[in-house]
Amino acid sequence: MNDMQLRQDIVEELDFEPGIDARGIGVSVADGVVTLNGHVPSYSQKIDAEKAVWRIKGVKALAQELEVRLPEHAKVNDDEIAKRAARIIAWNVGVPADTIHVKVSNGWITLSGTVDWHFQRFAAEAAVRRLTGIHGVFNNVEIKQALKSENVREKIKDALRRHVDGEASRIRIDVKSPGDVTLEGDVGDYEERRAIERAAWSVPGVRAVHDNLHIQWHAG
């Protein structure tokens, strides 16, 4: 697929998505690398625009440069955002009680604290990123060390064999103490890439995953 056709497919996908006001979004493509610039009226739309791009066949990489410009009626004071964020995290059964701290500055939410699993870290972020009035989320929640790093590589390979058919043998896994994982290799599409990343995060002891996987779209 050439860049012109890829750009057209992305523009149509953004226009088709009912939850996105795409009028302020600019799209450029060079060698399969997509850049989104311009502005959207909410942080949730920024996230949704990114997801929409990755659904399109032929996208190799994405530079996300969208700015959140809140309309006047959607602006919320930081103290109110902080109260709502703390409340919604407390209600979330996927997040251990009293483990996440919330700070809000100029509409940006910063999450900190310590949890046992990546899914708990992700659940805390997912709970707050659709709140009205926010510009973005910094997720600084850390994961406790639960496994010696020399065992992590084999555990990730086992997870890949369970969750991602045929991927384990062609993915290079580098593990540095404490639980710092780098993934390298070629994958067929974005969903494969995300599945591999999720498999790595599913292993106890993994505290950071650096996804250097390259999408190599198959013809057809």
Side-chain angles (χ1 to χ4, degrees):
M1 180 183 297
N2 63 46
D3 289 342
M4 185 177 297
Q5 182 59 56
L6 179 56
R7 180 186 180 280
Q8 183 61 34
D9 288 349
I10 292 169
V11 169
E12 290 178 0
E13 184 71 11
L14 291 171
D15 287 338
F16 178 77
E17 182 63 44
I20 300 175
D21 181 354
R23 291 174 294 178
I25 300 177
V27 180
S28 60
V29 181
D31 297 326
V33 178
V34 179
T35 300
L36 294 182
N37 51 41
H39 57 88
V40 287
S42 71
Y43 181 63
S44 62
Q45 290 194 36
K46 180 177 179 178
I47 298 298
D48 289 343
E50 182 173 336
K51 291 179 179 178
V53 170
W54 280 119
R55 288 198 295 266
I56 304 302
K57 183 176 181 179
V59 175
K60 297 178 180 178
L62 170 62
Q64 167 64 283
E65 299 177 0
L66 288 173
E67 176 189 355
V68 176
R69 293 185 186 175
L70 298 171
E72 283 299 321
H73 68 83
K75 292 181 179 179
V76 182
N77 292 333
D78 287 345
D79 58 345
E80 184 60 31
I81 293 173
K83 290 177 185 177
R84 294 177 183 177
R87 187 163 56 242
I88 199 170
I89 289 173
W91 289 344
N92 194 308
V93 296
V95 182
D98 302 321
T99 58
I100 305 297
H101 308 293
V102 178
K103 183 179 75 173
V104 182
S105 178
N106 296 321
W108 283 87
I109 298 175
T110 299
L111 303 178
S112 60
T114 306
V115 294
D116 292 318
W117 294 91
H118 172 65
F119 79 84
Q120 296 167 332
R121 180 178 185 269
F122 178 78
E125 179 179 341
V128 302
R129 65 187 180 189
R130 293 191 178 276
L131 287 173
T132 301
I134 71 171
H135 287 275
V137 180
F138 296 118
N139 192 342
N140 295 335
V141 176
E142 296 184 352
I143 300 170
K144 297 177 183 176
Q145 179 77 358
L147 194 70
K148 292 183 178 179
S149 60
E150 58 263 28
N151 298 325
V152 171
R153 183 181 290 101
E154 290 305 315
K155 292 286 186 179
I156 293 175
K157 289 181 179 179
D158 290 341
L160 289 178
R161 282 189 284 268
R162 289 195 302 271
H163 298 294
V164 191
D165 292 339
E167 297 295 340
S169 61
R170 58 190 180 92
I171 301 302
R172 297 184 296 280
I173 304 167
D174 181 47
V175 181
K176 296 181 180 178
S177 182
D180 193 314
V181 177
T182 298
L183 304 173
E184 296 182 333
D186 293 333
V187 295
D189 57 35
Y190 180 66
E191 288 306 316
E192 284 185 36
R193 179 178 172 180
R194 294 291 294 141
I196 293 168
E197 186 177 335
R198 286 194 298 269
W201 273 120
S202 72
V203 175
V206 171
R207 302 180 70 180
V209 175
H210 307 287
D211 184 350
N212 295 336
L213 297 169
H214 179 261
I215 297 176
Q216 188 67 48
W217 289 94
H218 304 303

